Amino acid sequence: MSNLRDIKRRIKSVRNTSQITKAMQMVASAKMRRAQELALKGRAYVAALANVLRHLQESIMEASSPLMQQRTAGKDLYVVVNTDRGLCGGLNSNLMKEVLTRCPHDADYITIGAKLNPQFARCGLALQASFSLSDTFSDADLKPIVDFISKGFTSGTYKSVQLVYQQFVNVMVQRPRINQLLPITQEELLAVAQQDDMEDTTNGNFLLEPGPGALLDAILPLYAFNMLTQSVLESKASEQSARMVAMKSATENAKKLIGELTLDYNKARQTQITNELLEITTAMKAME
C-alpha cells in the first residue's frame, strides 16, 4: 500500500508541474510573438538608417565625431545582454561560454540582466555595473546604460565598447554575437549600408539639410543608441523563444513521466490484487 501511495503522490506532483510548465509555455509564446515583432521592426530601422548612410560616404570619410575616435589607451568594455530570469534552456550558459572564449579576462564588463552576475563573480571578471530591463522597456529605461557607456568612452576610460548578446534567428535557433559598438568605424558604417536589403527609391541628387556633416553628427549617436536597443530586442526575442521551447519540452517530459508512473501504478495495483486473491484462496483451502 505504501508503494501505491508513493506512486500516486508522484503522479499528482508531476501532473501539477506539467500544468505550471504548460501555463509558462503559453505565456512565453505570447511574449515571444511581441518580442519577435519588435526585433524585426528594429532590423527594418537599421536598414532605413543604412539607406541614409549610403548618401553620406564622403562625409563619413571626413568625420571627426568623438564616437569615431580610435584610441590605444584605456580598457575594453563589454556589454553582456543576458536575462533576469532562468528557465530558458542553455541560452545564458551558451552566452557565458562565448564570453569566456572570446572576451579578454582583464576587460571591464557591464550586464543587462542579472542572471549571469554570479558566474562573472566566480570567474573573477570585473563587473562594473548591472542593469535590468523589463519586457516592455522604453528609451528612457536605456538612458542610464547609454550614459554610462558614453561617459566611459568619451572620457578615455574605455578605448572600445563591445556588445555581447544572443541574436534571434528563429524560434529554435539563437546565436551568440559580439559586435563593436564604439568607436564607430567607417568600415562598419559602410558595411551596414552594403548589407541593407531595402530598395533605394531616392536618386543620387538630393539636398541634405542642414548638411551632410551636421546630419552625420546627429546620426552617429542615433546609430549607437539603436545598435544597443537592437541587441536588447534580439536578446528579448531569443529569451522568450528559448523559454517557450524549454517549457514545451518540460511539459512533454512530464506527460511521458505520468504515463510511465501510471503504468507502474497499474502493475503494482494488479500485483496487490493478485496477492490478495492468493491469500483468500489459501485461507479457504486451509479451512476445508
Side-chain angles (χ1 to χ4, degrees):
M1 288 296 292
S2 61
N3 187 40
L4 288 175
R5 284 195 297 267
D6 291 341
I7 296 176
K8 195 171 184 179
R9 191 181 298 113
R10 287 191 63 192
I11 292 174
K12 182 179 179 181
S13 176
V14 175
R15 183 174 287 114
N16 292 338
T17 301
S18 68
Q19 292 174 352
I20 295 173
T21 56
K22 180 64 175 179
M24 294 181 67
Q25 175 190 342
M26 296 175 65
V27 171
S29 177
K31 289 184 176 181
M32 183 207 67
R33 286 192 291 269
R34 182 178 183 279
Q36 180 179 353
E37 180 182 355
L38 291 175
L40 294 177
K41 285 182 178 179
R43 292 176 184 175
Y45 183 80
V46 172
L49 188 60
N51 201 24
V52 175
L53 291 172
R54 279 199 181 110
H55 306 287
L56 298 174
Q57 294 186 14
E58 293 182 1
S59 298
I60 290 174
M61 298 303 178
E62 301 171 357
S64 59
S65 170
L67 299 181
M68 299 182 72
Q69 291 181 3
Q70 302 288 333
R71 299 187 178 93
T72 57
K75 302 182 69 174
D76 295 315
L77 177 66
Y78 285 80
V79 182
V80 182
V81 188
N82 62 104
T83 70
D84 284 304
R85 295 174 295 168
L87 300 177
C88 50
L91 191 74
N92 288 318
S93 59
N94 291 337
L95 191 66
M96 192 64 192
K97 289 178 182 177
E98 189 77 3
V99 170
L100 296 176
T101 302
R102 298 183 56 190
C103 301
H105 191 276
D106 58 350
D108 283 351
Y109 294 85
I110 68 172
T111 57
I112 301 177
K115 196 64 180 177
L116 287 179
N117 289 358
Q119 295 190 41
F120 274 85
R122 285 195 296 268
C123 295
L125 300 177
L127 184 60
Q128 301 299 321
S130 181
F131 302 90
S132 293
L133 294 173
S134 66
D135 294 332
T136 56
F137 69 93
S138 63
D139 290 350
D141 297 325
L142 283 172
K143 189 176 185 303
I145 307 174
V146 174
D147 290 344
F148 183 95
I149 294 172
S150 300
K151 183 179 179 180
F153 181 76
T154 55
S155 65
T157 303
Y158 301 115
K159 63 180 180 181
S160 71
V161 179
Q162 311 285 338
L163 291 174
V164 187
Y165 63 96
Q166 289 281 6
Q167 181 187 27
F168 175 78
V169 179
N170 54 50
V171 176
M172 301 298 297
V173 180
Q174 302 85 36
R175 294 178 184 153
R177 289 289 301 273
I178 300 178
N179 288 340
Q180 180 167 301
L181 179 63
L182 297 173
I184 301 172
T185 63
Q186 301 169 359
E187 294 78 9
E188 179 186 355
L189 287 174
L190 296 180
V192 172
Q194 291 172 0
Q195 292 173 3
D196 177 19
D197 294 329
M198 289 181 62
E199 180 181 356
D200 190 359
T201 57
T202 61
N203 56 51
N205 299 319
F206 62 97
L207 181 63
L208 294 175
E209 293 184 359
L215 185 59
L216 186 63
D217 289 339
I219 287 180
L220 289 177
L222 183 63
Y223 172 85
F225 184 88
N226 186 73
M227 290 299 100
L228 177 62
T229 303
Q230 185 62 27
S231 68
V232 176
L233 291 176
E234 297 277 350
S235 296
K236 292 292 184 183
S238 297
E239 175 187 356
Q240 299 303 336
S241 299
R243 182 171 291 116
M244 186 195 71
V245 172
M247 292 301 99
K248 180 179 179 181
S249 177
T251 302
E252 292 174 352
N253 290 338
K255 290 180 179 179
K256 181 178 179 181
L257 182 57
I258 289 173
E260 294 174 353
L261 289 173
T262 301
L263 181 60
D264 291 341
Y265 178 84
N266 291 336
K267 288 180 178 179
R269 179 59 178 163
Q270 186 62 44
T271 300
Q272 181 183 7
I273 293 173
T274 302
N275 292 335
E276 290 175 354
L277 290 175
L278 288 174
E279 291 176 359
I280 293 173
T281 303
T282 303
M284 291 178 62
K285 288 184 177 182
M287 294 175 62
E288 291 178 355

